[in-house]
Structures are given as structure tokens and as C-alpha cells.
Amino acid sequence: LLLTVNKVPQQLATNEYINRHENLIIVEVTGSCKSYLACAQGVEACNATLKVMYVRLPDLLAELNLAKVQGNYRKRINQYIRVSFNTGRVTVKGTNNAEQQHILEILEKRYRIHSTVYCSQFDVAGWHSKLGEGALDDAIIARIISKSQTIKILSNKSVTSR
């Protein structure tokens, strides 16, 4: 499902997609308000008394790598799995096998149970080349897009440059 920006507020303000355990993928250029829209959805989820977490992918991976070293990996993974609504920025970069396994473990446990908002400068079609080619990245992308609505902010100018 591709939503146009003028229909987004009515369709997202109800949090119905969260009740259906669907994800949102917000795609467009830097400075186009992706993170603002994602945070606004997080605020709406908080207003509906849901537990919300905001995390960037590089921070998530760093935290999980540190948790592995400190011996509290399972506890940290469970913190990401339990939140009802997760929002964050996906700065997709080449990931190694261990990082892909971290991501897949979280997605697998959240799949069809909780909602997540993904923000990216890259269209989903380009995620394979950014994430790292292979079976794990196929599984990661499949978990994300199978129950997702995509919002493409159609702008050739950054809001911050206007």
C-alpha cells in the first residue's frame, strides 16, 4: 500500500495500523520530515498508552554488540522485542553477518505482533544492496515489507533547505 501525503494524517491518526500490527516505511530525501512524521506517530502511540522506543539502526547494532560483550545480550534483545511500537531511522549500511542476525532476531520476534516505523533515504528496492546481499538480508526485508504501508514523501527539496 502506498499512501499519498495528503491522505496520511487521516489514515494514521487513528493508530489502526498499530492495532493491525502493521509497519510503516517512510521513504524520501534527507530533511523531508521523515523523522518528524515517525516521531509524531510515536507520540500518538504514547497517547494511546503504548510503550514506544526510538532507535537508529547504527545505535541499535552498537548496543547489541556491547550487550554481547557485557553478557546481557538476551535482556537487551527482549527490551526491543517487548515494545508495542518502535520507531527509528534506518541508515542502511553494509552490515555483517552477526549484525544481520541481531536484526533478524528482533524482527522475527516482533513479526505480526508489534508495529515498527522505518525511515530511510533509500527506497525499499535498494535495501538489498545497502544491507548486504544474502539469505539473511532477504529474510530481514521480507519481515519488514510483508505487513507494511509505505509512505513516499515526494519532494525534490529538503525542508531544511527551504
Side-chain angles (χ1 to χ4, degrees):
L1 175 61
L2 178 63
L3 302 174
T4 57
V5 174
N6 59 350
K7 293 182 181 178
V8 170
Q10 301 103 356
Q11 293 184 14
L12 300 182
T14 63
N15 286 334
E16 189 56 36
Y17 70 98
I18 297 173
N19 297 332
R20 291 190 307 259
H21 311 298
E22 293 176 348
N23 301 316
L24 291 179
I25 301 171
I26 305 172
V27 180
E28 200 40 53
V29 297
T30 300
S32 63
C33 297
K34 294 181 300 292
S35 294
Y36 178 82
L37 182 56
C39 287
Q41 290 307 122
V43 169
E44 283 300 313
C46 283
N47 289 338
T49 67
L50 297 172
K51 292 181 182 177
V52 175
M53 181 181 286
Y54 178 89
V55 65
R56 293 175 56 247
L57 182 59
D59 297 337
L60 167 75
L61 296 174
E63 287 179 16
L64 293 177
N65 286 330
L66 181 61
K68 270 263 204 229
V69 171
Q70 294 176 335
N72 60 352
Y73 176 77
R74 181 63 34 213
K75 180 181 176 185
R76 194 69 184 135
I77 282 281
N78 286 334
Q79 289 174 333
Y80 287 106
I81 293 168
R82 283 195 303 262
V83 227
S84 301
F85 181 78
N86 203 346
T87 181
R89 292 171 46 195
V90 180
T91 37
V92 181
K93 61 169 184 86
T95 53
N96 62 41
N97 193 279
E99 291 171 331
Q100 288 180 0
Q101 288 176 353
H102 296 325
I103 295 167
L104 185 58
E105 182 170 0
I106 292 170
L107 293 178
E108 192 64 39
K109 302 278 190 194
R110 293 181 57 78
Y111 188 62
R112 299 183 186 262
I113 298 171
H114 299 297
S115 295
T116 303
V117 174
Y118 301 93
C119 297
S120 179
Q121 295 171 288
F122 307 103
D123 196 79
V124 175
W127 286 8
H128 280 283
S129 64
K130 303 290 182 191
L131 197 59
E133 311 272 335
L136 284 176
D137 78 302
D138 287 341
I140 289 167
I141 293 170
R143 296 301 178 284
I144 292 172
I145 65 173
S146 69
K147 281 202 66 157
S148 293
Q149 297 182 37
T150 300
I151 301 170
K152 288 188 179 183
I153 301 173
L154 304 174
S155 173
N156 56 0
K157 261 190 168 179
S158 165
V159 172
T160 56
S161 68
R162 292 182 196 164

